[in-house]
């Protein structure tokens, strides 16, 4: 019965997506007013649209190539400047997404190696407005393995209503973006270097679109948030942006960095039939392997000795070899954080981040097995002692047999949230706070609204977890962006509508001035500090300031676990 229900729900979701795609297709044939912009590469033409909530005019330029296609001999190399075009480039449709496994629908390899494109959205104010606008550059998530800056998920209508320019970008993913053989021909972190190349392109060209090249905010969610953090740490990114917003991800999250990249690289070569040992020869061999075969390999559930079972990705950011000439990450993040760019930061979490991990469990019973010691042990790469594992079990599952199912689900979700997102959260910016170098604004998003798309999709296929209240990983995104694929729009004057308005006001105020506050908000968001920590709870009409650390008891617990584990390693 359960499989029949799941199939029915998936068919309904598929039908909804097909219908929305048809609407999108029909909208493209509507005649539209056009705008022409001249940049170094040539002449661009964009189209006028109206925002969905306020009916404000804006112009969008889609599918602008910001680098040469990284194909043939450029595969695995750092991005190269695009030579430009002759005539008028009609920026009316999005460029290819980068090659990846379609984890949502078809389970097939989609996208292209030719994928380094960006989209620009510029508001049009009726009255004469010559002032340069703040620029917000969004970096999408997807575990460095999937996703794109597509309108399907990231149409910035709500942000444009606040009179900012928004840019969304694509960057290389998984093996094509993060394979590391420690040589210039395959240095690792190509995806992060794509992002940086896009930032340089934006800084050079955004004034032609009415943007302020000296007021750029980078923001991202999940792997996009970790990417923002990497740019804060990388010496190469210094000066390319002026503010940063990190939503549910940092470089210290266990899924965002790989210290075993050499094993993964040589395993890939072996799997592709290359028996050579020299990295240059291996890379030359891999240049002739179809990209789809490389990506298929990167989607295998590879696991080396000592690695955890969940959120275990081999092709993600890594430290680059001394042999590489232009290193994006020249040292371990622990070292680089001491010299991080001191720009104003917003950094936050959702209260049920760990719910996203339930998606990996097809049997409902598997979700309720995390109270078992062996299951907990497999969450970690560190060889924690039995004493440490038992302390973790007792903290979340003491009196497990007396708990009702909702409490078991909540505690499981909290443990997974803490392990993969929350326990490392404060490490992401504490070094800046201790030195008093910049202002940091913390938030916890816990709004249980109708636009919580990720949670709604989880509930649709896993009704046994529908008793959980709060916000899943990525649920805040639909309050910042309109997603064409699912078409979730807030009803006027609903709590969801007001949450959209509040979040976009905060994010855009911060992008404009470095301060998220304004007189038209009913609260004041105070910045945090090491001596007086505080954060904003984003919870619809109940949005409010709270003193202390986010989930302070759990945060302190993991601080103590880290100290205990370090002590045990020394003995």
């Amino acid at each position: 019965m359960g499989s029949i229900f799941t199939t029915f729900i998936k068919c309904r979701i598929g039908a909804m997506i097909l219908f929305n795609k048809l609407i999108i297709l029909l909208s493209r044939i509507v005649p539209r007013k056009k705008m022409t912009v001249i940049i170094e590469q040539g002449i661009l033409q964009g189209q006028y649209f109206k925002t969905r909530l306020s009916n404000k005019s804006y112009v969008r330029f889609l599918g602008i190539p910001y680098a040469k296609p990284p194909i043939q001999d450029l595969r695995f190399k750092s991005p190269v400047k695009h030579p430009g075009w002759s005539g008028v480039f009609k920026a009316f449709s999005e460029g290819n997404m980068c090659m990846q496994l379609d984890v949502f629908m078809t389970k097939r390899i989609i996208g292209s190696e030719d994928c380094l494109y960006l989209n620009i959205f510029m508001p049009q104010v009726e009255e004469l407005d010559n002032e340069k606008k703040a620029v917000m550059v969004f970096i999408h998530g997807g575990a460095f393995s999937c996703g794109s800056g597509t309108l399907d998920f990231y149409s910035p209508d709500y942000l444009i209503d606040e009179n900012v320019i928004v840019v969304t970008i694509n960057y290389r993913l998984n093996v094509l973006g993060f394979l590391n053989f420690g040589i210039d021909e395959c240095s690792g972190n190509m995806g992060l270097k794509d992002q940086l190349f896009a930032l340089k392109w934006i800084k050079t060209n955004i004034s032609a679109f009415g943007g302020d090249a000296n007021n750029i905010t980078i923001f991202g969610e999940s792997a996009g948030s970790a990417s923002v953090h990497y740019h804060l740490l990388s010496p190469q990114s210094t000066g390319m942006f002026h503010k940063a917003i990190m939503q549910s991800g940092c470089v210290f999250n266990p899924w965002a960095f790989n210290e075993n990249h050499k094993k993964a690289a040589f395993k890939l070569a072996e799997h592709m039939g290359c028996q050579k040992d020299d990295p240059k020869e291996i890379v030359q061999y891999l240049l002739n392997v179809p990209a789809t075969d490389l990506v298929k390999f990167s989607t295998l559930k590879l696991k080396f000795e000592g690695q955890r079972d969940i959120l275990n990705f081999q092709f993600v950011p890594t430290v680059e070899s001394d042999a590489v000439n232009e290193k994006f990450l020249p040292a371990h993040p622990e070292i680089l954080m001491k010299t991080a760019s001191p720009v104003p930061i917003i950094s936050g979490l959702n209260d049920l981040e760990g719910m996203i991990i339930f998606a990996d469990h097809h049997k409902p019973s598997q979700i309720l097995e995390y109270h078992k010691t062996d299951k907990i042990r497999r969450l970690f790469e560190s060889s924690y002692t039995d004493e440490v594992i038992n302390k973790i079990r007792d903290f979340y599952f003491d009196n497990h047999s007396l708990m009702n199912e909702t409490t078991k689900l909540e505690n499981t979700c909290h443990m997974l949230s803490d392990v993969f997102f929350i326990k490392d959260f404060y490490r992401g910016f504490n070094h800046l706070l201790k030195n008093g170098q910049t202002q940091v604004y913390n938030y916890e998003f816990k709004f249980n609204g109708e636009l919580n798309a990720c949670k709604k999709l989880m509930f649709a296929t896993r009704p046994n977890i529908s008793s959980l209240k709060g916000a899943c990983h990525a649920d805040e995104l639909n309050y910042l962006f309109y997603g064409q694929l699912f078409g979730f729009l807030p009803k006027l004057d609903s709590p969801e509508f007001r949450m959209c308005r509040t979040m976009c006001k905060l994010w855009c105020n911060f992008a404009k001035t470095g301060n998220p506050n304004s007189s038209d908000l009913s609260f004041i968001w105070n910045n945090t500090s090491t001596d007086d920590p505080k954060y904003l709870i984003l919870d619809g009409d109940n949005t409010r300031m709270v003193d202390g650390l986010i989930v302070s008891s759990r945060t302190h617990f993991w601080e103590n676990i880290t100290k205990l584990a370090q002590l045990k390693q020394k003995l």
Side-chain angles (χ1 to χ4, degrees), residues 364-377:
S365 59
Q366 293 176 327
I367 296 172
L368 293 174
E369 292 179 350
Y370 278 100
H371 65 285
K372 297 177 180 178
T373 302
D374 188 54
K375 194 84 169 175
I376 294 172
R377 190 185 306 280

Side-chain angles (χ1 to χ4, degrees), residues 380-447:
F380 304 99
E381 295 199 351
S382 303
S383 53
Y384 282 162
T385 63
D386 289 343
E387 179 186 355
V388 172
I389 294 296
N390 288 334
K391 282 183 178 293
I392 296 170
R393 182 198 61 203
D394 292 345
F395 182 77
Y396 293 98
F397 301 110
D398 193 25
N399 298 319
H400 178 266
S401 61
L402 302 178
M403 296 176 183
N404 61 42
E405 187 159 308
T406 297
T407 302
K408 291 176 182 178
L409 282 170
E410 287 174 345
N411 289 358
T412 299
C413 192
H414 289 158
M415 182 180 71
L416 295 173
S417 298
D418 295 347
V419 170
F420 292 106
F421 297 97
I422 297 175
K423 70 181 178 66
D424 302 301
F425 173 71
Y426 284 98
R427 290 174 66 198
F429 50 82
N430 265 351
H431 53 287
L432 293 173
L433 286 181
K434 288 175 182 176
N435 296 333
Q437 293 177 289
T438 189
Q439 290 192 320
V440 177
Y441 297 88
N442 288 153
Y443 73 85
E444 181 187 29
F445 182 85
K446 59 192 307 181
F447 183 52

Side-chain angles (χ1 to χ4, degrees), residues 232-235 328-340 431:
L232 285 166
L233 302 185
S234 174
F328 183 89
L329 285 183
H332 195 283
E334 291 278 8
I335 297 171
L336 294 176
M337 72 178 184
K338 297 172 184 176
T339 55
H431 53 287

Side-chain angles (χ1 to χ4, degrees), residues 185-464:
E185 292 85 352
C186 186
S187 64
N189 301 326
M190 291 78 74
L192 293 173
K193 293 174 182 180
D194 293 341
Q195 296 172 12
L196 177 57
F197 208 77
L199 286 175
K200 290 178 178 178
W201 188 100
I202 292 162
K203 194 167 179 63
T204 298
N205 294 291
I206 202 64
S207 61
F209 300 85
D212 186 350
N214 295 312
N215 193 9
I216 295 173
T217 298
I218 57 173
F219 69 125
E221 185 271 339
S222 193
S225 178
S227 295
V228 169
H229 198 190
Y230 277 116
H231 289 291
L232 285 166
L233 302 185
S234 174
Q236 287 195 359
S237 296
T238 302
M240 290 296 109
F241 59 95
H242 311 92
K243 306 172 197 75
I245 301 175
M246 297 166 55
Q247 300 169 215
S248 303
C250 77
V251 302
F252 300 118
N253 292 149
W255 45 265
F257 183 71
N258 186 8
E259 297 192 60
N260 295 301
H261 61 272
K262 287 184 180 179
K263 289 182 180 178
F266 281 97
K267 187 70 175 178
L268 168 72
E270 178 187 333
H271 185 84
M272 292 299 156
C274 182
Q275 304 300 321
K276 302 179 184 298
D277 296 320
D278 183 284
K280 286 184 181 291
E281 292 182 5
I282 294 173
V283 171
Q284 192 60 44
Y285 179 94
L286 293 178
L287 289 178
N288 296 307
V289 174
T292 51
D293 291 348
L294 295 172
V295 175
K296 281 178 186 174
F297 173 82
S298 72
T299 63
L300 298 176
K301 295 289 185 181
L302 272 187
K303 183 186 171 190
F304 298 104
E305 185 178 352
Q307 290 188 324
R308 66 189 173 275
D309 287 351
I310 295 175
L311 296 189
N312 178 26
F313 304 106
Q314 303 299 339
F315 300 106
V316 297
T318 52
V319 173
E320 288 161 59
S321 162
D322 289 338
V324 173
N325 283 315
E326 293 189 13
K327 294 179 278 290
F328 183 89
L329 285 183
H332 195 283
E334 291 278 8
I335 297 171
L336 294 176
M337 72 178 184
K338 297 172 184 176
T339 55
S341 296
V343 302
I345 295 170
I346 287 176
S347 184
L349 298 158
N350 297 357
D351 66 331
L352 297 180
E353 298 279 8
M355 189 192 296
I356 194 69
I357 295 166
F358 293 170
D360 282 342
H361 298 81
H362 301 294
K363 295 180 181 178
S365 59
Q366 293 176 327
I367 296 172
L368 293 174
E369 292 179 350
Y370 278 100
H371 65 285
K372 297 177 180 178
T373 302
D374 188 54
K375 194 84 169 175
I376 294 172
R377 190 185 306 280
R378 292 203 297 268
L379 295 175
F380 304 99
E381 295 199 351
S382 303
S383 53
Y384 282 162
T385 63
D386 289 343
E387 179 186 355
V388 172
I389 294 296
N390 288 334
K391 282 183 178 293
I392 296 170
R393 182 198 61 203
D394 292 345
F395 182 77
Y396 293 98
F397 301 110
D398 193 25
N399 298 319
H400 178 266
S401 61
L402 302 178
M403 296 176 183
N404 61 42
E405 187 159 308
T406 297
T407 302
K408 291 176 182 178
L409 282 170
E410 287 174 345
N411 289 358
T412 299
C413 192
H414 289 158
M415 182 180 71
L416 295 173
S417 298
D418 295 347
V419 170
F420 292 106
F421 297 97
I422 297 175
K423 70 181 178 66
D424 302 301
F425 173 71
Y426 284 98
R427 290 174 66 198
F429 50 82
N430 265 351
H431 53 287
L432 293 173
L433 286 181
K434 288 175 182 176
N435 296 333
Q437 293 177 289
T438 189
Q439 290 192 320
V440 177
Y441 297 88
N442 288 153
Y443 73 85
E444 181 187 29
F445 182 85
K446 59 192 307 181
F447 183 52
N448 192 50
E450 291 299 313
L451 299 188
N452 292 34
C454 192
K455 187 176 72 171
K456 287 181 74 172
L457 292 171
M458 293 279 288
F459 285 1
T461 54
R462 293 165 182 81
N464 63 305

